Amino acid sequence: MADLATALQEARRGLLALSTRNRLLALPKPGRSRGVVIFDDEDADFVLAALKDGRAFTFEAMAEAAATEPPAPSAPAEEAMPAAAPAKPRRGGRRRATPKADGVGTADAAATREAAQSDTRLRVRMPSADLARRLRDIIADARTAREETGIATLYLALGALAWRDPGTPETERLAPLALLPVVLEREGVSQVFRLRADVVEAAENLSLREMLQTQFRVALPEFDPEAYDPTKWAEAVATAIGQREHWRVEADALALGLFSFAKFLMWRDLDPAANPGLATHPIVRALVGGEVLASEAPAFADDTDVDAAIPVERLDHVMDMDGSQALAVEAVRRGGHLVIQGPPGTGKSQAIATILAQAVLDGRSVLFVAEKLAALEVVQRRLAAIGLGPACLELHSEKQSKRAVLDELRATLAVPAAPKPDRDAVVRRLGALRGRINRHAEAMRAAVGESGTPLHAVIGQLAALRARGVKAGSVTLDAGTWTVERIEAQRAALRELALRQTGARSPFQGVARDLTPGETDRLMARLPELIRAFAGGAAALAPLTAAIGQPAAGAAEVPALRAL
């Protein structure tokens, strides 16, 4: 158990990122990161309330004069709490009637600070061309992250904690206090960028909570997403950190960027203290501790008779599947553990959909996870197409909020119950059809008479001859009574007949090629008829040849008979 605990702790440590390279703990400096845009002098309470009301925000770049203006001098280093942030240049006034083609506007420096903080325009100290390029990059990266992982990574950071690492006390770092999932969109190249709320509930910065607890022994108060208020939460964080030198809380700090804490959530879920049964779970002991994972069901061999292994009563397949898929699904249903491998298009998603459907039928619940969002969507679409969509609860991407989960549960509960089918009648019908098909398959595998040749091989040769345009012969053979030895003897005689007659007077001169089985059968079938014809012709010509004094040709002199 000690080795397992150590291995589990090492696995968790690989998921944890509490260094200053994590932008959840240290926002990059303005203009230095592709994935983050820091806004200038906004009101966090107003922005959050407007986004929750469904309003959208556009973007404005600071005027060149303001953007290049040197910042106000900072407070002396020896002060415990730095002075408040210097007042930003007065902006506002009349704005451009038509936004610029690059999707962002240009802020004017003539309005009051209150007016600038109460409109639906977010300002950034950056040239308009650079801001537009940064927003385009964020849209592309956010779309890629969602398509690849199914995780929403675009957030609006609300509030910030300015803190200093004891290892680098001269550098101030800004860590977001809360995160709101948002959507950044632009309908066309001539349209402006718009920022909307994706989920109306904000989440706390869990990485910040864990960092403060592990490195500074600071415990933050409980976070309530439904009652979240940027100013009140900033005050609660300021109270928790106390009077730390050069630390401060900025309630109105805002930043738009790509943030991901999925690995942190995995790290927290893998805590044995939070999940007491984790260390004793057989799958965890196998994956982390290296123990053999016992399987309740034996693995099926490749040549297993599917119909013999799976009774007709257990054929609850919701998708078409072949024998290998059916055996894999049955192994999982019996409690087995297996890995299904195969290139795209080999039916892996069909097998997974059937496994999930059978689990629902058996009253079980399944957590289906995948590295790619596309894999989740393929299986979900397959289940929805066969009427099992209400049985699926999406817990990824935009469906991960509490309200979205509750809405989906409410919609599922509102679906009327499906009528119970007459299962016995269906099972009897299925059993009869499967028995008929199996009897047909056995007949096709059986040999024709004593020939040793299966029926499907005979039919295959006939189909190949027809495909080549070969017409049926005029003579039929009773091949059903032939044995393997007789067939081989007839073929050998035919080969000898074709090869021995090489004389100048031989009617088979030049015949030296290999004959196909069909040609052999047709020639052997006509030989008796030809022999009788030759013999009858010789007998009819005997009086005529005697009258002219020439010797009659006997049947023994017929080349065909000599060959036999």
Side-chain angles (χ1 to χ4, degrees):
M1 184 63 69
D3 295 338
L4 176 62
T6 303
L8 185 59
Q9 185 63 26
E10 292 178 355
R12 295 180 66 230
R13 189 178 298 111
L15 297 172
L16 192 61
L18 297 181
S19 67
T20 55
R21 290 177 296 181
N22 184 355
R23 63 179 54 169
L24 285 169
L25 301 177
L27 289 173
K29 298 298 182 182
R32 295 186 182 179
S33 175
R34 169 189 174 101
V36 176
V37 171
I38 298 177
F39 301 115
D40 183 73
D41 195 20
E42 298 289 348
D43 186 345
D45 292 328
F46 170 78
V47 173
L48 178 61
L51 289 173
K52 285 186 175 182
D53 290 340
R55 301 170 67 182
F57 281 81
T58 58
F59 299 86
E60 286 187 340
M62 298 291 292
E64 293 299 327
T68 57
E69 181 179 342
S74 59
E78 63 272 14
E79 292 182 5
M81 295 293 292
K88 301 299 186 295
R90 297 167 64 89
R91 307 169 299 214
R94 294 184 178 273
R95 290 185 162 68
R96 305 169 60 95
T98 303
K100 294 182 62 176
D102 56 13
V104 298
T106 301
D108 199 354
T112 63
R113 181 184 184 189
E114 291 75 13
Q117 290 183 343
S118 60
D119 58 18
T120 56
R121 288 178 286 270
L122 299 173
R123 294 151 194 85
V124 182
R125 284 185 172 271
M126 186 181 297
S128 59
D130 295 343
L131 176 58
R133 182 175 61 254
R134 186 67 53 82
L135 294 176
R136 288 194 299 268
D137 292 342
I138 291 178
I139 290 178
D141 294 344
R143 183 187 302 113
T144 300
R146 185 187 179 281
E147 293 175 351
E148 292 291 328
T149 65
I151 300 175
T153 58
L154 184 59
Y155 291 89
L156 178 65
L158 300 165
L161 169 65
W163 64 286
R164 295 177 184 268
D165 188 354
T168 55
E170 70 282 357
T171 303
E172 182 182 79
R173 323 228 178 232
L174 289 178
L177 299 182
L179 300 167
L180 178 70
V182 292
V183 174
L184 182 60
E185 57 190 9
R186 189 186 188 190
E187 297 180 356
V189 295
S190 62
Q191 302 298 319
V192 297
F193 293 94
R194 296 185 183 277
L195 184 70
R196 303 179 186 275
D198 189 12
V199 178
V200 297
E201 291 183 356
E204 67 170 315
N205 187 350
L206 296 173
S207 297
L208 176 61
R209 175 184 289 274
E210 185 64 25
M211 186 271 292
L212 293 177
Q213 178 65 39
T214 57
Q215 297 184 12
F216 299 99
R217 299 295 185 268
V218 174
L220 295 181
E222 183 179 356
F223 183 86
D224 185 0
E226 296 182 355
Y228 168 69
D229 178 90
T231 300
K232 293 181 179 180
W233 178 244
E235 294 174 353
V237 173
T239 302
I241 64 175
Q243 296 295 324
R244 290 182 174 269
E245 187 176 4
H246 303 311
W247 284 39
R248 72 180 187 278
V249 176
E250 297 182 0
D252 292 324
L254 294 179
L256 174 67
L258 303 173
F259 302 94
S260 178
F261 46 85
K263 290 185 177 181
F264 177 81
L265 297 178
M266 295 170 60
W267 174 85
R268 189 178 62 176
D269 292 339
L270 292 177
D271 186 3
N275 299 285
L278 189 65
T280 59
H281 198 283
I283 295 182
V284 176
R285 297 179 67 88
L287 294 177
V288 181
E291 298 183 5
V292 177
L293 184 60
S295 177
E296 299 178 6
F300 295 105
D302 294 338
D303 57 350
T304 300
D305 187 347
V306 178
D307 293 337
I310 307 176
V312 66
E313 296 82 4
R314 295 176 64 87
L315 290 178
D316 303 312
H317 300 160
V318 297
M319 309 289 295
D320 295 335
M321 38 188 48
D322 58 20
S324 62
Q325 292 172 314
L327 291 176
V329 169
E330 182 64 19
V332 174
R333 195 175 194 181
R334 296 185 184 183
H337 306 285
L338 69 158
V339 176
I340 302 177
Q341 292 180 326
T346 54
K348 297 186 298 297
S349 62
Q350 293 176 338
I352 293 174
T354 299
I355 290 173
L356 298 178
Q358 287 183 340
V360 174
L361 178 64
D362 296 339
R364 303 166 63 188
S365 59
V366 181
L367 175 62
F368 177 49
V369 297
E371 182 180 1
K372 303 291 185 180
L373 176 61
L376 297 175
E377 292 178 340
V378 167
V379 175
Q380 195 275 337
R381 285 197 301 267
R382 289 188 180 275
L383 293 175
I386 58 177
L388 293 179
C392 302
L393 178 63
E394 298 182 63
L395 297 175
H396 61 84
S397 189
E398 66 271 5
K399 301 298 181 66
Q400 63 185 349
S401 68
K402 182 187 299 183
R403 177 172 297 181
V405 172
L406 293 177
D407 292 342
E408 194 164 354
L409 289 175
R410 188 180 301 107
T412 299
L413 294 176
V415 175
K420 187 176 181 180
D422 186 1
R423 182 176 174 83
D424 294 337
V426 174
V427 169
R428 289 193 299 270
R429 172 69 171 163
L430 181 59
L433 293 176
R434 189 170 77 165
R436 181 180 177 183
I437 294 175
N438 288 337
R439 289 190 297 272
H440 174 77
E442 292 176 0
M444 294 294 291
R445 291 194 300 267
V448 179
E450 299 180 2
S451 65
T453 304
L455 180 58
H456 68 80
V458 176
I459 296 177
Q461 288 189 4
L462 294 177
L465 291 173
R466 175 173 292 182
R468 289 163 49 190
V470 178
K471 297 182 179 180
S474 59
V475 179
T476 60
L477 298 177
D478 187 14
T481 61
W482 289 12
T483 62
V484 178
E485 293 78 9
R486 184 179 178 184
I487 294 175
E488 184 58 33
Q490 299 286 11
R491 289 175 176 172
L494 187 60
R495 286 193 296 269
E496 185 178 1
L497 177 66
L499 297 176
R500 286 183 58 184
Q501 300 301 321
T502 58
R505 299 177 57 187
S506 172
F508 298 102
Q509 182 179 7
V511 178
R513 70 181 184 88
D514 294 333
L515 301 179
T516 65
E519 293 172 341
T520 302
D521 291 341
R522 287 193 298 275
L523 182 59
M524 294 302 295
R526 297 197 61 187
L527 276 179
E529 176 187 353
L530 295 175
I531 291 173
R532 289 192 297 269
F534 291 157
L541 293 175
L544 179 61
T545 56
I548 61 177
Q550 294 182 359
E557 296 179 0
V558 177
L561 297 180
R562 290 200 307 270
L564 290 177

